[in-house]
Amino acid sequence: MFDSLSDRIQRVFKELRGEGHLTEFHVDQALKEIRTALLEADVHLDVVKEFTGTVREKAVGQEVLTALSPAQQVLKVVQAELTSLLGGAAQPLNLKRRPTVVLLVGLQGSGKTTTAAKLALHLKRNLNKQVLLVPADTFRPAATEQLRTLAKENALMCFDPKTETKALNRVRAAVKDAKLFGYDVAIVDTAGRMHVDDELMDEVAEIKSLADPDEILFVADSMTGQDAVNSAKAFSNRLPLTGVILTKTDGDARGGAALSLARVVGKPVKFIGVGEKVKDLEVFHPDRAASRILGLGDVLTLIEKVSQETDRKQALQMAEKLRKNEFTLLDLRDQMRQMRKLGSFSSLLGHLPKVGPLKELSNIDIPEDATKRLEAMIDSMTPAEREDPRIIDGSRKKRIALGSGTTVPEINQLLRQFGTMKKMMKGAPRMRF
Amino acid sequence: MSTDTPQKKGLLAKLKRGLFMTHTELISRVGGAIKTKLGPDPRALEALEEALIAADVGPATALELVSAVKAAVKDEAGRKGQEDIDLVKNVLKAEIERRLTASTSPPAVPAGVPKVLLMVGVNGTGKTTTTAKLAARASQSGQTVLLAAADTFRAAAIDQLQVWGDRLGITVIKHRPGADPAAVVHDACTAARNRKADCVFVDTAGRLQTKTNLMEELAKIRRIAGREIPGAPHEVLLVLDAVIGLNGLSQAREFTKSAGVTGLVLTKMDGTAKGGVILAIVRELQIPVKYIGVGETVEDLLDFDARAFAEAVVDG
Ligand SMILES: Nc1nc2c(ncn2[C@@H]2O[C@H](COP(=O)(O)OP(=O)(O)O)[C@@H](O)[C@H]2O)c(=O)[nH]1
Ligand SMILES: [Mg+2]
């Protein structure tokens, strides 16, 4: 949908060759492009203004380094500045007190209930905490049932409110239980509310006074536009927010709201939701978010995700192979085996930049049972065929189809997709570590 | 947004609170300063552009609207003696109305078959609530209505729709959690035929438009509905949350491709978000906005009218 920012800035600097410093004129031209890119990424207008002002100050007059093109150099300043605005290093939760009370608040439909379960699973799995989920949304039909179902499916504990219909009473009883039974953390899921609804804002303020939470996290949809600033301001005026959780980041939104929120709330984004499954929660990385807002993509998360469940070295190798275009069908098969453990191919590829040639790639989706068929096809090929699929002619296709219990059209499709994939991976940015 | 009943007036007031800009804001920011001797005042135009960007219309649309204003201010003959502020407002209203007027409308429902409406959208936009609102309306106007719980994925989504069904006295056709949503739709269509129902509202699971397999599922639901009832689904409503930024355009494109969207619903207009991205969406896809959601009860739904919306947006 959008022209990549690096392309556009590149254009600005086409003329620049031979100059020793970044001139005011050229920086201003580049900043115009950056302003548009940030606005298209949904960063709030005031934040954009402030930001471009800072970048201008830092970039004008810089000596042009030989190693970087002027465009790259401006982008580097932009990226560094963006990263620092997004809160520097990732921030852990404050879990010192026992029980720690975590309050999740936000607008309707931002994803609080799912996030409550995700956070509970994260704390249980990674930090070995005993967590109690507290359903305090007494307003939306079946919200309590939703949290209880998620708890049951993931072997998490959920407070049973019995017939209690007042959120405040539920929270009081649940916190008491959490103390009594020695839970480490209680996560309170509150009803979604509009920041202009005084009555409901009073209610959440009361819940806060009663529960005395250690963390109050504002849960916001990463696809939010300019209004992120208004709602976040109103919530942080009523409640001492300690952080933000951004949800639904597995789509193709550039997520500029992250920047607006971090700026307005003055507190870092702590986690991001990356899918509908309860395990789909990740720690927020400002540098990656910065690249994404700018449309520069994020190969790093891809690598890390793969290396979580595979050997890190092997992941690096595969990434380098992809980049250098030495990726073979055999590598594809091995990767597919790994990916079946990791979730869908498309969710993995979702970490790649969604601009330029890689946009197409993320649309290639391979459903789970199809990966098994693909594996069978690749297994039925000779080593030479796997090395260089161009030699696979009609009769070879028939043999492979027979051997793998598939059809020639399916084999054609595999070869076509593999071809596209290789073409697109060529020229992907180098992996950073 | 017809304004007949007192109740509707109340709803409209809810909506009007600070749309794109309030009257006073427009006057103070753009006001008399719009034209100086040297031509349109760039500061005033910039203020206008910013007000539009803040409403999520996006930098490109904002620039187009500002250019239209600029051209009108320069055109001495065309202004017919209008004050600057009136001129600006009229140009904006006309431009917004034009952009929000779509050239397509859903095909007519064949005679004698139940009308099937499919609700689609990303997660948490208000699909289930809007389904209930629309079903309540149809039922109150005397139609026989069925609800189909085709969100079999999200935890307790079926329960949520069932609660609405109980409250409204409307039958909910449902399967177990995790069942094939197309099978639910199949059963709902059969039930509608057998019971001679007037309409079926199908609530589907939220899905991000980038998930190809989930989008394919919507195509399958369409096929099944069409096999059971001629021309079904007769309407496919894409539910958009007013807080959405420019990603709304990507949502509208992809859902239109896979699910054949025939109309848009903009929910949560009772907050401060303006949903300005619909300008770009309607303009590109030529699909009309049908309804606006302004709260969480079944009454909180307004019919959309491009002219009234444009006026509310500009006059505040
Ligand atoms: N304030 C307000 N809330 C709404 C509106 N429409 C839906 N909601 C709320 O948004 C949340 C998500 O709605 P739901 O219908 O479950 O969304 P779905 O996931 O798309 O089915 C619920 O808390 C609803 O009550 C609206 O027009 N205004
Ligand atoms: Mg729903």
Side-chain angles (χ1 to χ4, degrees):
Chain A
M1 165 164 35
F2 305 115
D3 240 4
S4 104
L5 178 62
S6 26
D7 286 352
R8 288 198 300 211
I9 295 185
Q10 217 85 50
R11 245 175 277 143
V12 171
F13 284 98
K14 272 253 168 71
E15 322 277 290
L16 187 69
R17 248 171 248 127
E19 298 200 33
H21 291 85
L22 294 177
T23 65
E24 211 161 312
F25 175 75
H26 283 103
V27 170
D28 281 345
Q29 291 299 306
L31 282 177
K32 250 191 221 152
E33 300 292 346
I34 290 164
R35 174 184 184 266
T36 310
L38 292 175
L39 287 174
E40 280 172 348
D42 292 323
V43 180
H44 190 269
L45 186 67
D46 293 342
V47 180
V48 171
K49 280 190 191 168
E50 189 187 318
F51 179 76
T52 46
T54 319
V55 170
R56 190 171 189 280
E57 251 169 52
K58 295 208 169 152
V60 171
Q62 267 196 14
E63 242 176 76
V64 176
L65 304 170
T66 41
L68 297 174
S69 73
Q72 283 172 331
Q73 199 170 340
V74 172
L75 274 179
K76 210 179 119 203
V77 177
V78 168
Q79 158 102 11
E81 197 56 31
L82 210 48
T83 308
S84 96
L85 265 182
L86 282 166
Q91 303 270 339
L93 290 177
N94 167 17
L95 299 169
K96 283 198 272 303
R97 206 160 60 127
R98 196 157 170 238
T100 297
V101 178
V102 180
L103 203 58
L104 299 185
V105 300
L107 300 175
Q108 289 98 338
S110 62
K112 288 173 295 305
T113 309
T114 314
T115 302
K118 286 180 176 178
L119 199 54
L121 188 67
H122 164 80
L123 293 176
K124 184 180 159 187
R125 268 201 192 159
N126 300 334
L127 301 173
N128 204 16
K129 299 283 181 194
Q130 299 292 321
V131 187
L132 182 65
L133 283 165
V134 184
D137 177 358
T138 52
F139 195 71
R140 209 206 66 202
T144 302
E145 207 39 51
Q146 186 185 348
L147 192 63
R148 293 179 67 163
T149 307
L150 290 174
K152 209 183 307 161
E153 286 170 359
N154 293 281
L156 298 163
M157 298 306 287
C158 184
F159 174 76
D160 178 2
K162 307 235 168 56
T163 55
E164 181 56 63
T165 54
K166 263 201 93 193
L168 216 57
N169 293 342
R170 285 189 179 187
V171 173
R172 185 181 297 116
V175 171
K176 209 169 120 199
D177 268 17
K179 280 186 189 138
L180 194 65
F181 298 112
Y183 282 95
D184 300 311
V185 186
I187 300 176
V188 182
D189 175 33
T190 64
R193 62 200 78 225
M194 280 292 178
H195 51 290
V196 291
D197 187 330
D198 295 332
E199 216 173 291
L200 286 178
M201 290 305 281
D202 286 345
E203 188 213 51
V204 76
E206 265 183 82
I207 292 180
K208 182 250 151 194
S209 310
L210 177 97
D212 185 23
D214 305 86
E215 292 274 356
I216 308 176
L217 302 173
F218 184 64
V219 181
D221 190 322
S222 63
M223 296 177 278
T224 309
Q226 300 283 316
D227 195 55
V229 157
N230 298 326
S231 53
K233 242 187 222 152
F235 269 91
S236 77
N237 283 345
R238 288 304 296 269
L239 301 164
L241 302 179
T242 59
V244 174
I245 298 185
L246 270 185
T247 61
K248 311 176 203 172
T249 67
D250 46 328
D252 61 357
R254 300 254 294 273
L259 190 60
S260 313
L261 289 168
R263 194 80 196 89
V264 167
V265 177
K267 290 284 169 357
V269 178
K270 298 205 170 178
F271 295 96
I272 56 174
V274 296
E276 290 192 77
K277 302 217 178 74
V278 172
K279 66 164 180 44
D280 295 331
L281 185 77
E282 288 177 5
V283 169
F284 176 74
H285 292 282
D287 50 338
R288 298 172 190 176
S291 301
R292 177 161 174 171
I293 291 172
L294 291 170
L296 298 176
D298 178 10
V299 182
L300 194 65
T301 307
L302 173 69
I303 308 274
E304 188 174 277
K305 190 157 180 178
V306 173
S307 55
Q308 262 171 18
E309 301 194 29
T310 57
D311 172 17
R312 197 181 166 84
K313 233 187 193 160
Q314 193 197 328
L316 243 185
Q317 265 171 13
M318 129 38 215
E320 257 324 280
K321 270 186 175 172
L322 274 170
R323 202 180 68 79
K324 290 199 197 138
N325 215 19
E326 289 165 359
F327 192 65
T328 67
L329 279 165
L330 209 59
D331 295 318
L332 178 66
R333 187 197 66 189
D334 291 345
Q335 263 336 104
M336 240 145 23
R337 283 193 184 145
Q338 293 294 351
M339 280 170 193
R340 253 197 280 139
K341 280 195 267 171
L342 291 169
S344 79
F345 197 55
S346 61
S347 94
L348 195 66
L349 288 174
H351 292 287
L352 289 170
K354 290 278 168 26
V355 287
L358 291 177
K359 194 162 141 196
E360 307 277 311
L361 183 62
S362 56
N363 290 336
I364 299 174
D365 195 42
I366 306 175
E368 293 234 343
D369 53 328
T371 64
K372 291 208 186 106
R373 296 178 75 80
L374 289 183
E375 276 185 41
M377 290 185 230
I378 297 171
D379 283 339
S380 300
M381 292 175 191
T382 66
E385 287 166 349
R386 289 184 202 130
E387 203 46 52
D388 184 8
R390 280 172 303 188
I391 64 169
I392 302 178
D393 56 13
S395 68
R396 282 174 191 262
K397 280 178 193 166
K398 271 191 213 132
R399 193 204 74 241
I400 298 167
L402 207 63
S404 57
T406 59
T407 61
V408 173
E410 277 179 280
I411 289 166
N412 284 334
Q413 193 187 354
L414 164 69
L415 294 177
R416 217 172 27 245
Q417 285 196 344
F418 181 70
T420 324
M421 188 169 166
K422 284 193 71 152
K423 229 188 283 151
M424 285 170 177
M425 270 306 192
K426 218 163 145 181
R430 177 184 289 278
M431 318 297 150
R432 294 163 290 144
F433 267 88
Chain B
M1 281 171 286
S2 47
T3 48
D4 343 328
T5 63
Q7 185 215 355
K8 279 224 167 137
K9 264 196 190 132
L11 290 180
L12 195 61
K14 232 177 175 177
L15 173 68
K16 268 194 174 181
R17 176 173 44 199
L19 268 183
F20 285 13
M21 35 204 147
T22 62
H23 184 71
T24 34
E25 226 181 336
L26 188 68
I27 302 239
S28 68
R29 296 179 77 167
V30 185
I34 194 80
K35 192 159 174 270
T36 66
K37 286 202 187 81
L38 300 170
D41 179 352
R43 277 205 323 270
L45 291 176
E46 193 185 316
L48 178 62
E49 186 192 350
E50 290 183 354
L52 290 164
I53 286 175
D56 283 320
V57 305
T61 304
L63 209 61
E64 286 170 20
L65 291 175
V66 168
S67 303
V69 167
K70 208 153 123 186
V73 172
K74 277 187 182 159
D75 177 13
E76 285 296 339
R79 66 159 57 209
K80 301 195 188 90
Q82 288 179 90
E83 291 289 324
D84 283 337
I85 186 67
D86 294 330
L87 180 71
V88 170
K89 283 173 143 191
N90 288 335
V91 172
L92 281 178
K93 279 182 213 170
E95 284 291 320
I96 291 172
E97 183 185 345
R98 188 169 65 83
R99 283 178 160 72
L100 287 176
T101 307
S103 61
T104 65
S105 50
V109 184
V113 308
K115 179 174 180 181
V116 179
L117 287 97
L118 192 63
M119 311 293 290
V120 300
V122 302
N123 316 70
T125 57
K127 288 175 296 305
T128 307
T129 313
T130 307
T131 307
K133 288 175 181 178
L134 288 172
R137 260 197 186 193
S139 157
Q140 275 152 21
S141 71
Q143 302 189 44
T144 313
V145 180
L146 284 181
L147 285 166
D151 179 357
T152 57
F153 179 80
R154 208 209 66 199
I158 301 170
D159 301 312
Q160 187 185 351
L161 193 67
Q162 184 65 59
V163 171
W164 283 114
D166 293 345
R167 283 185 193 167
L168 300 167
I170 297 173
T171 307
V172 179
I173 306 297
K174 59 183 181 184
H175 285 190
R176 305 184 67 79
D180 180 0
V184 179
V185 172
H186 172 271
D187 285 5
C189 289
T190 321
R193 265 201 333 248
N194 292 342
R195 301 177 198 193
K196 307 226 172 329
D198 297 302
C199 46
V200 188
F201 293 91
V202 181
D203 180 29
T204 65
R207 64 201 77 220
L208 292 181
Q209 72 276 17
T210 48
K211 315 253 155 146
T212 4
N213 50 338
L214 294 180
M215 295 305 277
E216 180 50 38
E217 184 183 275
L218 287 178
K220 180 175 169 197
I221 288 177
R222 280 187 65 97
R223 281 197 300 276
I224 300 288
R227 219 157 59 198
E228 293 308 308
I229 295 178
H234 307 98
E235 280 229 39
V236 180
L237 296 177
L238 173 65
V239 181
L240 295 165
D241 187 327
V243 301
I244 189 74
L246 301 183
N247 191 248
L249 195 53
S250 158
Q251 289 177 20
R253 283 183 187 140
E254 296 306 320
F255 275 97
T256 303
K257 233 187 265 163
S258 315
V261 175
T262 61
L264 309 170
V265 182
L266 196 60
T267 62
K268 310 188 197 174
M269 287 293 279
D270 47 325
T272 51
K274 320 284 198 262
V277 70
I278 58 167
L279 259 58
I281 294 177
V282 176
R283 179 171 210 211
E284 178 180 316
L285 299 170
Q286 292 297 316
I287 295 167
V289 184
K290 292 271 184 166
Y291 306 100
I292 288 189
V294 291
E296 296 183 86
T297 70
V298 286
E299 288 85 38
D300 296 327
L301 189 72
L302 297 170
D303 289 324
F304 182 83
D305 174 87
R307 155 95 34 103
F309 186 85
E311 279 173 3
V313 154
V314 177
D315 288 336

